């Protein structure tokens, strides 16, 4: 058979079996016409403008120039744009001035960015910040017939949305800005978005609406532009028959707005009780209150098929509410959602309002279907393990270990956050007590294959960074050398230590072989594929080019760090 008569799928398979990377794809594109067509499709398939911001002016200038060159190529070549399946803008949470080339004022002109959007009609997945490219896609969404997953950050939905025609969306996450001068409440904006998706997204499976972190200003055109949807009556029966997940959270809201949002969530949960299986709900900052507990429990009670619950702490409190302890709340929550009447599989709570202890762990023992757990403890700055401004990991260790070993045997993934924004440690060795838990943890929980512990504490100079100061990542993997009928597993530990909030934390890895009774699947691999780093010592050895796309900060992009998940 002649080479040029081979099916296209053969070339695709050959390329998929080779080492990944842009350079390899470029090389394949030069082999021959057939390889070139397949390689070019792979080369342009995924566009990710995420870069590593280090305050390096030279690197940032290279990054912007290269990104503009890439965007220009797409704008001028519709056949290239037709290859693009995923597109991702870059947004560094909490630092609004760090933006990619689509939003910087300079080389990337709005007209060119709109042309880029118009050529990418085969998009399947997109994650946008506010920029002309994003607005072009959002306002013409029905024409993107393959776009099923859309994430939007910083765009006011009442200014930029699509016409009342059907879309292909299955997943929508809209992080709306806090608008200065807006007369509309968060609840009104959320209701508007719900009307939009009920009218135009019949296949929607997941809807997340959040408010906060991004600031903006209300547009003069807002009032008139929403009329086409605001006049639509709510249908008698649920319009989103495939909806499985609802998230409605916020960071800042007035007292009245908080009550309106809770009422909206309860109403929506009751309306879609037959299909909803997952919810993300807001909980108040500071002390847990009876009112918040009642809201969470009533929402859960309205959802008989609930399997996933996420409670996201806001920056808000409300005057006049009755305070209760975190323990009291967790006792009520775990009792209400206990097996066998409920089958909760995944639980996330950003702040349990308590420190970890065996008593807290035992509360989850009756959740026989729980396989994913992600929790953050109360601020330890004034807790029992704060010692003259330092976090005493040695004293906290038995409480953490007792908490973990009391959890149900069904658990497969565990992510714990230790919160001490005003606490620090003198030396890396102070974190050692949290880095020798592997044997006890994996002997105790037979199905567990992943366990992270992240310490969000300050460095000695003060302040939190975008990643934890200390962290340990345990992974259970099959034995690399096969031994017949001997139940061994490898437990890999990756450890991360930051030094004065440096950009390159020290990362080490080690492995231990343990024998025991294990069940279920193992982890997919060592943390970040076995990534290691010497930390600031590396900067002394060689000058690294941190510009896009040559450099990827794998640590900062870890999905389970706060703010990235």
């Amino acid at each position: 058979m002649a080479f040029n008569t081979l099916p296209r799928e053969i070339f695709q398979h050959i390329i998929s079996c080779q080492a990944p990377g842009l350079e390899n794809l470029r090389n394949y594109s030069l082999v021959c016409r057939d390889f070139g067509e397949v390689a070019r499709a792979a080369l342009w398939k995924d566009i990710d403008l995420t870069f590593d911001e280090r305050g390096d002016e030279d690197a940032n200038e290279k990054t912007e120039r290269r990104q503009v060159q890439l965007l220009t190529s797409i704008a001028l070549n519709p056949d290239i744009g037709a290859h693009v399946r995923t597109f991702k803008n870059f947004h560094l949470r909490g630092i609004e001035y760090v933006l990619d080339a689509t939003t910087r004022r300079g080389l990337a002109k709005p007209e060119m960015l709109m042309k880029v959007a118009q050529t990418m009609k085969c998009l399947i997945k997109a994650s946008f910040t506010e920029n002309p490219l994003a607005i072009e896609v959002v306002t013409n969404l029905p024409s993107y017939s393959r776009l099923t997953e859309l994430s939007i950050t910083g765009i006011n939905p009442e200014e930029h949305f699509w016409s009342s025609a059907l879309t292909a969306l299955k997943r929508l996450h809209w992080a709306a800005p806090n608008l200065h001068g807006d007369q509309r409440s968060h609840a009104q904006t959320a209701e508007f978005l719900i009307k939009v998706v009920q009218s135009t997204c019949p296949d929607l499976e997941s809807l997340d609406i959040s408010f906060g972190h991004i600031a903006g200003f209300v547009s003069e055109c807002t009032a008139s532009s929403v009329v086409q949807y605001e006049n639509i009556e709510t249908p008698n029966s649920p319009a989103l028959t495939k909806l499985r997940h609802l998230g409605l959270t916020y960071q800042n809201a007035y007292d009245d707005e908080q009550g309106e949002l809770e009422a909206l969530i309860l109403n929506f949960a009751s309306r879609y009780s037959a299909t909803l299986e997952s919810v993300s709900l807001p909980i108040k900052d500071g002390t847990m209150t009876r009112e918040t507990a009642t809201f969470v429990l009533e929402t859960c009670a309205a959802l008989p098929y609930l399997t996933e619950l996420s409670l996201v702490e806001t920056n808000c409190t409300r005057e006049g509410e009755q305070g209760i302890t975190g323990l009291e709340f967790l006792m009520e929550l775990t009792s209400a959602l206990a097996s066998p009447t409920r089958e909760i599989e995944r639980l996330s709570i950003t702040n349990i309002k308590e420190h970890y202890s065996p008593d807290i762990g035992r509360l989850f023992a009756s959740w026989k279907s729980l396989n994913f757990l992600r929790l953050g403890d109360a601020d330890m700055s004034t807790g029992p393990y704060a010692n003259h401004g330092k976090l005493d990991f040695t004293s906290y260790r038995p409480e953490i270990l007792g908490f973990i070993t009391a959890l149900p045997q069904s658990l497969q993934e565990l992510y714990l956050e230790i919160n001490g924004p005003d606490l620090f440690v003198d030396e890396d060795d102070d974190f050692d007590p949290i880095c020798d838990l592997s044997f006890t943890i994996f002997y105790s929980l037979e199905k567990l294959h992943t366990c992270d512990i992240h310490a969000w504490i300050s460095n000695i100079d003060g302040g939190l960074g975008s990643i934890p100061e200390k962290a340990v990542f345990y992974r259970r993997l099959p034995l690399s050398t096969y031994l017949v009928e001997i139940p061994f597993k490898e437990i890999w530990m990756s450890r991360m230590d930051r030094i004065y909030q440096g950009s390159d934390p020290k990362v080490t890895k080690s492995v231990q072989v343990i024998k025991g009774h294990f069940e279920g699947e193992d982890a997919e691999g060592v943390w970040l594929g076995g990534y290691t780093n010497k930390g600031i010592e590396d900067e002394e050895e060689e000058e690294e080019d941190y510009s896009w796309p040559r450099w990827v900060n794998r640590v900062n992009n870890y999905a389970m760090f706060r703010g990235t998940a």
Side-chain angles (χ1 to χ4, degrees):
M1 177 181 290
F3 194 68
N4 60 3
T5 63
L6 290 173
R8 181 184 180 88
E9 290 76 13
I10 297 296
F11 294 102
Q12 292 174 336
H13 181 69
I14 292 172
I15 289 179
S16 69
C17 292
Q18 307 306 308
L22 296 177
E23 291 297 331
N24 287 332
L25 288 174
R26 290 193 192 100
N27 292 335
Y28 292 131
S29 69
L30 301 175
V31 173
C32 66
R33 178 181 298 176
D34 298 286
F35 257 123
E37 291 178 357
V38 174
R40 277 191 293 275
L43 188 64
W44 293 96
K45 179 181 177 182
D46 302 306
I47 305 298
D48 186 347
L49 302 184
T50 300
F51 63 96
D52 191 15
E53 170 55 43
R54 295 166 176 262
D56 185 329
E57 292 185 5
D58 290 338
N60 289 347
E61 189 276 331
K62 290 180 184 177
T63 291
E64 182 174 16
R65 185 177 69 251
R66 290 171 183 159
Q67 290 187 350
V68 171
Q69 289 173 343
L70 176 140
L71 294 166
T72 302
S73 296
I74 297 175
L76 297 178
N77 298 277
D79 57 326
I80 291 179
H83 289 311
V84 180
R85 297 294 180 269
T86 68
F87 187 96
K88 182 179 180 181
N89 278 132
F90 175 55
H91 168 244
L92 188 59
R93 181 178 177 183
I95 306 180
E96 297 179 24
Y97 61 85
V98 179
L99 302 166
D100 60 51
T102 63
T103 45
R104 294 186 181 207
R105 297 185 181 274
L107 298 178
K109 302 301 182 183
E111 297 79 8
M112 184 267 284
L113 293 173
M114 293 172 64
K115 186 65 176 176
V116 172
Q118 292 163 8
T119 67
M120 298 191 301
K121 289 296 185 178
C122 294
L123 273 176
I124 294 174
K125 178 179 179 181
S127 179
F128 292 132
T129 56
E130 184 180 19
N131 62 75
L133 187 159
I135 292 171
E136 178 69 18
V137 174
V138 170
T139 54
N140 295 282
L141 190 63
S143 67
Y144 291 80
S145 59
R146 301 185 185 184
L147 186 54
T148 58
E149 187 168 341
L150 179 61
S151 179
I152 300 170
T153 299
I155 296 178
N156 179 11
E158 290 143 322
E159 291 182 34
H160 304 291
F161 57 91
W162 51 93
S163 62
S164 54
L166 297 184
T167 73
L169 281 186
K170 293 183 178 181
R171 301 178 64 86
L172 175 63
H173 183 186
W174 200 306
N178 281 323
L179 297 175
H180 302 298
D182 193 4
Q183 300 303 310
R184 298 173 65 83
S185 69
H186 288 343
Q188 289 174 312
T189 298
E191 285 182 310
F192 169 74
L193 259 178
I194 289 171
K195 283 188 176 183
V196 171
V197 298
Q198 286 184 150
S199 300
T200 64
C201 306
D203 295 325
L204 198 69
E205 298 172 2
S206 176
L207 174 62
D208 271 293
I209 304 171
S210 61
F211 300 89
H213 295 302
I214 303 297
F217 293 88
V218 66
S219 167
E220 295 179 358
C221 68
T222 299
S224 60
S225 63
V226 301
V227 173
Q228 62 173 305
Y229 284 108
E230 289 198 330
N231 291 333
I232 295 176
E233 296 292 332
T234 301
N236 294 326
S237 57
L240 305 173
T241 58
K242 299 178 182 179
L243 191 68
R244 299 292 180 268
H245 169 79
L246 170 70
L248 209 174
T249 60
Y250 57 88
Q251 287 300 306
N252 299 289
Y254 296 112
D255 285 3
D256 290 345
E257 283 184 313
Q258 296 174 45
E260 291 173 359
L261 286 166
E262 290 177 358
L264 175 61
I265 292 169
L266 277 167
N267 180 271
F268 192 93
S270 298
R271 184 173 181 78
Y272 285 92
S273 61
T275 62
L276 280 177
E277 300 172 354
S278 170
V279 289
S280 296
L281 307 175
I283 59 174
K284 303 297 189 302
D285 186 22
T287 303
M288 178 59 68
T289 66
R290 167 55 53 201
E291 289 77 4
T292 295
T294 299
F295 158 67
V296 171
L297 293 171
E298 286 182 354
T299 304
C300 293
L303 301 173
Y305 304 108
L306 186 67
T307 61
E308 180 173 358
L309 173 64
S310 178
L311 303 180
V312 181
E313 189 176 41
T314 71
N315 293 330
C316 302
T317 58
R318 195 187 300 179
E319 295 292 332
E321 295 194 338
Q322 177 187 353
I324 60 175
T325 66
L327 178 61
E328 290 174 314
F329 169 67
L330 289 172
M331 289 177 66
E332 294 184 22
L333 180 71
T334 52
S335 297
L337 300 180
S339 303
T341 55
R342 305 302 291 269
E343 297 294 333
I344 303 297
E345 298 175 1
R346 298 172 65 90
L347 174 69
S348 300
I349 307 177
T350 55
N351 187 343
I352 61 173
K353 318 291 186 179
E354 297 280 352
H355 65 268
Y356 303 118
S357 69
D359 288 341
I360 298 294
R362 281 190 285 270
L363 294 177
F364 295 97
S366 61
W367 288 29
K368 303 300 184 183
S369 57
L370 187 67
N371 57 55
F372 176 99
L373 182 62
R374 181 179 185 179
L375 302 176
D377 64 4
D379 184 352
M380 303 301 294
S381 301
T382 57
Y385 307 110
N387 184 8
H388 302 290
K390 302 176 185 177
L391 183 52
D392 186 353
F393 286 106
T394 300
S395 298
Y396 200 8
R397 178 186 188 278
E399 296 296 297
I400 294 173
L401 197 57
F403 166 82
I404 294 174
T405 56
L407 294 171
Q409 284 295 325
S410 57
L411 199 63
Q412 300 173 28
E413 297 181 64
L414 176 63
Y415 304 90
L416 300 180
E417 294 181 355
I418 299 172
N419 294 306
D422 297 322
L423 300 176
F424 65 93
V425 293
D426 285 327
E427 303 291 342
D428 290 345
D429 293 349
D430 295 338
F431 191 59
D432 286 353
I434 309 301
C435 298
D436 65 352
L437 306 179
S438 59
F439 278 90
T440 306
I441 290 175
F442 289 95
Y443 277 134
S444 301
L445 299 174
E446 297 173 351
K447 293 184 178 180
L448 189 73
H449 59 68
T450 296
C451 178
D452 282 11
I453 303 177
H454 308 160
W456 290 89
I457 60 175
S458 171
N459 69 2
I460 200 168
D461 290 337
L464 294 179
S466 58
I467 63 175
E469 183 74 3
K470 308 288 179 188
V472 62
F473 314 88
Y474 297 110
R475 299 292 185 270
R476 191 192 80 185
L477 295 173
L479 200 63
S480 55
T481 57
Y482 181 69
L483 298 177
V484 179
E485 297 181 356
I486 300 180
F488 284 104
K489 293 288 184 181
E490 291 181 354
I491 307 299
W492 284 85
M493 182 192 75
S494 298
R495 173 174 173 169
M496 186 185 81
D497 294 284
R498 298 186 73 189
I499 302 174
Y500 300 111
Q501 300 291 0
S503 299
D504 288 308
K506 179 181 179 181
V507 179
T508 59
K509 66 176 180 179
S510 59
V511 62
Q512 294 176 310
V513 176
I514 65 174
K515 179 182 179 182
H517 179 72
F518 307 103
E519 296 183 5
E521 299 179 353
D522 292 310
E524 293 183 358
V526 185
W527 184 65
L528 296 186
Y531 172 82
T532 60
N533 188 43
K534 294 180 181 179
I536 59 173
E537 298 175 10
D538 280 357
E539 297 178 3
E540 300 173 357
E541 293 178 4
E542 58 179 315
E543 190 68 25
E544 190 77 57
D545 182 359
Y546 294 112
S547 60
W548 177 94
R550 290 179 170 83
W551 173 262
V552 177
N553 192 325
R554 301 180 68 188
V555 174
N556 281 51
N557 293 327
Y558 178 49
M560 298 310 298
F561 281 156
R562 179 190 303 171
T564 57

